Amino acid sequence: MSEKHTISVLVENHFGVLARVSGLISARAFNIDSLSVSTTEDPTTSRMTIVVDADAVKLEQVKRQLGRLIDVIDVQELREGEYIDRELLLARVNANGATKAQLEQIAKQFGGRIAHATAESVVMEASGDTKTLDRLVEQLRQHQITKLVRTGRVALER
Amino acid sequence: MPAKLKGAQILVECLQREGVDTAFGIPGGVNLPTFDALYQSKIKVILTVHEQGAAHMADGYARATGRVGVCLATSGPGATNLVTGIATAYMDSIPVVAITGQVRTSVIGNDAFQEVDTVGITRPITKHSYLVKDPRDMARVVREAFHIASTGRPGPVLIDVPVDATVSEAEFLYPEQIHIRGYRLQTAPELDMAQVMQAAEAIARSRKPVLYVGAGVIHAGAAAELAELAHRAHIPVTTSLLGLGSFPETDPLSLGMLGMHGFEYTNYAVAQCDLLIGIGARFDDRVTGKPDEFARHAKKIHIDVDPSSINKTVLVDYPVIGDVKQVLRALNAQAKPLDTADWLRTIREMRVKYPLMYREKQKLLPQYIIQQISEATHGNAIIATGVGQHQMWAAQFYQFNRPRSLITSGGLGTMGFGLPAAIGAQFGRPNDVVWDIDGDGSFQMTAQELATAAEHHLPVKVAIMNNQHHGMVRQWQDLFYEGRHAQSRLNPVDFVKLAQANGCVGIRVERKEDVHSAIEQAMHTTQQPTVIEFVVEEAENCWPMIAPGKPHDQMLGTHDVLEQDGGVPQHRRAEPDEESKLSLG
Ligand SMILES: Cc1ncc(C[n+]2csc(CCOP(=O)(O)OP(=O)(O)O)c2C)c(N)n1
């Protein structure tokens, strides 16, 4: 059965590594839900948090195949409940004088804020785990979202 | 202060320190500095006709010697011509280092003349790859490349070198140590003794075990350890195509090859066994047929250096991850004689009951020719092949007794591999007899390399099974496409003239009584390649066969079918002597 898995991959911090990792996953016809990369406390390494849709057996394969890449130092699967995950969301939402207050209210409710505002729209900023942000997006849809970006998940074991 | 050297000089110096004596390739604009530095070194650089030939020669050299093969090409078309060869080596885990020229660093990405993204194109078909933009990185990269190519599960590594990195200078510091933090465990995975003990216990419990062996045993140099396990515990041994040679086929415990064109009795043995011990083999679909019915009564052990090959196609009960040689030693320390007498007797009965068969035809048969080559060389030659029926017949009818004696493209199935791979093997093992058993279709894909062999007076022998067809394709069309021969008939070619035009001896054989003398003539031609065109039966099919997706006990072209057709049993192996009959039960 196919489900979402979060894997955390520690890699060498040099060019071409992202292509190797994403190429390996896509060559196995897995869909990458999200992938985020940044350098770690050690500037010679980067950490990728990858969310993929896969069944358990195939996932095990991909983890091992990732481990086979020379530039990959460590591969870890983060299991539900054992990690903290966050993503950042930015959404431009249509707003007028009347709805702006409502949007401010929603932002507050989700621990976010209005990062920018014009006469016709606001840009909302919020961070949280995936499910929370999914709920936020649902609420924002009732106003009109004209542009939405999310960073994808970053995660750290507890 | 260490000496300053040009990047190309550092590259060549490092190749020499890796013990490279021969390399194969073609120069061009951006790799002229590299070729110039090689020209002034002790390394023998073999000019090939086509870069695909260079890659296959490096591959054949590596398969025959166990050392890293090296090929070189210029940027753009030179590099893309290597691609088939690199992919072939990758699929069969062969240690090759490919060194490609690249356009100047400052114009990379500009669609410069002869620029392609070589690292990008080869990413999925290399174990690892490098772009060396700075000559200061050159020594480390070359050192790492050879290390990675040849250790753990071997494979090709590509080094792409922009021309400016070969002409500018850097201090030459040879890195004595290698530090690749993402690779340490892959070279020497720590042996999990609990896994070993579980496998050993499963073996001790088994009454109907079969060892299923792949090329991993050959790569690990573990043929002796394998033989020890088989003999000590009385376990019969079957091999994949690439595993042929890891266990002598003259041994009474040898079951020969299993799988799609494996022996009938061998596939039955696999279908009936209670324990399948896979060693350095990857459960390829040509071996397993229908994966969930493969050895369906058996518990399965899988010993492999590469964790990602465990449970890839077939789920196993007892995985053991580690260096195959080390694991076999650990198992041998536990191994006791098993009570397999009944099992070995059953197998022996099946062997007698279900032999390989064929019926004589008007024209020559490839099977007969290969039997003759096997006899003339006592199973001690190095045999390279193309891909198709002739490849499967070579696997069936040549009796392989030594590791590194079959050089064939198993994973990628690359037609055109045979001749250049044979040439590479002959360069690596000048004192051995090297035959290329080829098909007319496969041979023509890289036939131009005859000129390379002739130039270097290599005594490579080419046996072309000329059936005027892409025979294996024709066979499938007859079996599965109602005989519609879509583009499987080949245009006639005069292979004797082709041979002679390239400076080789050319012989055509059409009659059975001339087969032996032609083979003898080739064996006695030591300063020139010999090409023998055997004009063979066009409609002959390769049997037995497991149709794709079918289980092992539902084969086509089995012995009883062929018998009705007038087939005659072929005893390809020497009859077991008295002592071995005993060990067979
Ligand atoms: C490069 C390449 N192209 C196509 C194929 C598909 N293919 C597999 S076997 C075969 C026919 C081989 O013919 P030949 O070399 O004459 O050998 P035969 O089967 O007649 O012995 C073909 C076309 C392949 N394996 N490799």
Side-chain angles (χ1 to χ4, degrees):
Chain A
M1 208 192 55
S2 179
E3 50 188 309
K4 305 236 186 281
H5 299 272
T6 306
I7 36 190
S8 177
V9 188
L10 185 67
V11 299
E12 294 288 347
N13 180 17
H14 49 230
F15 78 93
V17 181
L18 177 59
R20 283 183 210 282
V21 169
S22 59
L24 188 147
I25 295 173
S26 60
R28 272 127 198 107
F30 283 3
N31 199 21
I32 299 180
D33 265 29
S34 75
L35 187 161
S36 72
V37 203
S38 67
T39 48
T40 66
E41 70 285 358
D42 169 359
T44 67
T45 65
S46 299
R47 188 172 288 285
M48 301 186 179
T49 310
I50 309 172
V51 182
V52 289
D53 220 335
D55 68 47
V57 175
K58 282 218 168 146
L59 181 81
E60 199 52 39
Q61 271 309 309
V62 166
K63 276 163 52 189
R64 287 179 179 162
Q65 282 169 336
L66 283 172
R68 217 162 67 153
L69 294 178
I70 310 296
D71 285 333
V72 168
I73 301 163
D74 189 35
V75 183
Q76 237 185 317
E77 183 179 354
L78 299 175
R79 286 170 214 283
E80 202 62 51
E82 292 175 5
Y83 62 90
I84 299 163
D85 67 295
R86 291 291 180 272
E87 48 179 314
L88 176 67
L89 166 151
L90 293 174
R92 189 191 309 282
V93 185
N94 285 347
N96 52 33
T99 54
K100 216 168 256 175
Q102 294 173 13
L103 286 164
E104 258 165 21
Q105 193 52 40
I106 294 173
K108 208 165 171 191
Q109 189 188 330
F110 282 88
R113 65 188 196 98
I114 305 292
H116 183 74
T118 67
E120 296 91 39
S121 70
V122 297
V123 174
M124 185 176 301
E125 166 197 324
S127 76
D129 62 24
T130 306
K131 280 188 191 125
T132 309
L133 294 188
D134 286 347
R135 280 205 311 277
L136 170 59
V137 171
E138 274 316 303
Q139 296 220 7
L140 293 181
R141 280 193 201 290
Q142 291 157 20
H143 303 264
Q144 204 187 346
I145 306 175
T146 56
K147 207 159 195 178
L148 175 71
V149 283
R150 291 167 69 160
T151 54
R153 193 179 291 177
V154 290
L156 205 61
E157 65 275 24
R158 285 179 196 276
Chain B
M1 267 271 288
K4 276 207 158 189
L5 293 179
K6 289 187 171 153
Q9 292 172 317
I10 297 176
L11 169 62
V12 171
E13 179 60 33
C14 291
L15 292 178
Q16 284 177 328
R17 293 198 192 203
E18 295 297 336
V20 175
D21 55 9
T22 312
F24 307 89
I26 303 183
V30 294
N31 68 358
L32 281 174
T34 300
F35 272 73
D36 192 49
L38 283 163
Y39 191 77
Q40 299 172 57
S41 77
K42 292 199 191 71
I43 298 173
K44 186 161 68 178
V45 183
I46 308 301
L47 173 66
T48 63
V49 184
H50 188 293
E51 287 88 352
Q52 182 183 352
H56 290 330
M57 285 179 208
D59 179 325
Y61 176 97
R63 291 188 206 229
T65 63
R67 295 162 55 199
V68 177
V70 178
C71 57
L72 302 123
T74 191
S75 64
T80 53
N81 274 352
L82 286 181
V83 166
T84 301
I86 296 173
T88 304
Y90 182 72
M91 288 295 278
D92 291 348
S93 308
I94 306 302
V96 166
V97 169
I99 302 166
T100 47
Q102 184 54 276
V103 299
R104 280 197 325 277
T105 317
S106 57
V107 299
I108 286 180
N110 290 1
D111 297 333
F113 177 62
Q114 295 194 325
E115 181 191 359
V116 296
D117 175 7
T118 306
V119 165
I121 288 173
T122 57
R123 193 177 293 123
I125 53 167
T126 48
K127 185 170 171 186
H128 195 51
S129 51
Y130 294 93
L131 176 67
V132 186
K133 293 197 277 191
D134 186 331
R136 283 175 299 180
D137 296 331
M138 188 73 81
R140 175 185 57 81
V141 165
V142 175
R143 188 110 167 78
E144 289 183 5
F146 276 78
H147 176 66
I148 290 169
S150 58
T151 52
R153 179 178 184 166
V157 176
L158 179 122
I159 309 177
D160 199 26
V161 193
V163 58
D164 48 314
T166 61
V167 293
S168 54
E169 292 188 339
E171 284 174 2
F172 176 56
L173 283 167
Y174 189 70
E176 297 297 338
Q177 303 286 327
I178 300 174
H179 300 285
I180 315 171
R181 49 189 164 179
Y183 191 60
R184 262 175 315 128
L185 282 175
Q186 292 183 47
T187 42
E190 258 171 75
L191 200 53
D192 179 345
M193 279 315 285
Q195 288 185 335
V196 174
M197 291 314 292
Q198 285 191 335
E201 283 159 21
I203 292 172
R205 280 194 300 272
S206 169
R207 289 296 165 267
K208 293 157 80 177
V210 167
L211 283 154
Y212 149 51
V213 175
V217 168
I218 298 173
H219 296 325
E225 287 77 8
L226 168 69
E228 189 179 332
L229 178 61
H231 289 147
R232 189 175 287 186
H234 305 308
I235 307 176
V237 182
T238 179
T239 77
S240 66
L241 176 66
L242 293 183
L244 284 170
S246 59
F247 190 74
E249 294 195 88
T250 43
D251 192 299
L253 286 171
S254 167
L255 302 177
M257 184 175 74
L258 82 167
M260 181 174 272
H261 290 290
F263 300 141
E264 192 176 345
Y265 81 92
T266 306
N267 283 334
Y268 295 157
V270 170
Q272 292 171 22
C273 69
D274 68 5
L275 178 71
L276 186 85
I277 309 162
I279 310 183
R282 62 193 185 89
F283 293 77
D284 178 82
D285 52 89
R286 284 289 187 267
V287 161
T288 60
K290 198 172 176 194
D292 42 348
E293 294 203 35
F294 178 59
R296 58 179 173 275
H297 306 300
K299 292 274 185 212
K300 298 177 187 78
I301 296 174
H302 189 180
I303 302 166
D304 208 292
V305 69
D306 176 7
S308 75
S309 69
I310 308 276
N311 289 341
K312 189 163 63 180
T313 53
V314 171
L315 293 181
V316 298
D317 306 278
Y318 307 104
V320 185
I321 296 162
D323 171 61
V324 161
K325 196 181 180 105
Q326 222 187 330
V327 176
L328 276 170
R329 282 189 178 154
L331 284 176
N332 284 337
Q334 309 291 328
K336 294 194 181 60
L338 301 181
D339 180 11
T340 54
D342 287 346
W343 175 229
L344 293 176
R345 191 175 305 117
T346 307
I347 287 176
R348 194 151 83 107
E349 284 163 12
M350 290 199 294
R351 173 185 297 170
V352 174
K353 203 166 156 197
Y354 309 115
L356 278 177
M357 307 269 276
Y358 60 76
R359 175 167 64 82
E360 297 277 336
K361 307 278 154 64
Q362 205 98 64
K363 282 189 169 177
L364 275 174
L365 288 184
Q367 301 95 306
Y368 172 76
I369 297 161
I370 294 163
Q371 284 174 310
Q372 292 299 305
I373 296 175
S374 186
E375 257 170 49
T377 57
H378 308 287
N380 285 327
I382 297 174
I383 303 293
T385 77
V387 171
Q389 294 179 314
H390 65 278
Q391 177 190 31
M392 292 299 114
W393 280 320
Q396 292 177 338
F397 287 92
Y398 194 91
Q399 193 162 299
F400 294 96
N401 295 324
R402 300 188 300 175
R404 306 193 177 283
S405 54
L406 174 62
I407 297 189
T408 193
S409 168
L412 199 64
T414 309
M415 291 172 68
F417 178 73
L419 175 63
I423 293 172
Q426 187 78 81
F427 271 115
R429 284 173 48 187
N431 300 322
D432 282 73
V433 173
V434 180
W435 280 84
D436 169 31
I437 295 177
D438 225 327
D440 49 333
S442 295
F443 173 72
Q444 289 188 78
M445 289 199 180
T446 52
Q448 68 275 18
E449 301 301 342
L450 284 179
T452 310
E455 168 66 20
H456 295 277
H457 303 285
L458 296 185
V460 165
K461 299 135 192 24
V462 183
I464 303 171
M465 307 296 151
N466 183 6
N467 55 10
Q468 286 236 357
H469 281 84
H470 281 154
M472 187 59 94
V473 172
R474 198 267 313 136
Q475 175 169 344
W476 281 48
Q477 288 169 333
D478 281 341
L479 290 174
F480 310 123
Y481 297 88
E482 298 170 341
R484 289 182 297 275
H485 291 179
Q487 285 66 53
S488 56
R489 193 178 162 77
L490 289 162
N491 302 325
V493 170
D494 186 333
F495 288 104
V496 172
K497 281 195 186 143
L498 179 69
Q500 289 165 348
N502 282 286
C504 306
V505 176
I507 308 170
R508 179 175 297 115
V509 176
E510 302 186 56
R511 297 181 315 170
K512 197 172 172 183
E513 51 270 36
D514 299 333
V515 171
H516 182 72
S517 62
I519 293 171
E520 283 304 311
Q521 188 183 338
M523 294 292 282
H524 288 107
T525 306
T526 55
Q527 292 298 315
Q528 228 183 334
T530 304
V531 177
I532 314 176
E533 176 193 358
F534 292 101
V535 180
V536 299
E537 173 61 39
E538 294 179 16
E540 186 68 5
N541 284 341
C542 184
W543 303 122
M545 174 179 186
I546 305 176
K550 286 279 174 357
H552 278 50
D553 39 14
Q554 293 174 28
M555 304 185 80
L556 304 174
T558 48
H559 124 282
D560 47 335
V561 176
L562 299 190
E563 193 164 49
Q564 285 190 356
D565 183 46
V568 176
Q570 299 301 317
H571 296 287
R572 59 187 280 288
R573 67 189 67 234
E575 272 303 294
D577 56 24
E578 284 311 311
E579 192 189 343
S580 18
K581 273 184 186 157
L582 285 181
S583 73
L584 264 177

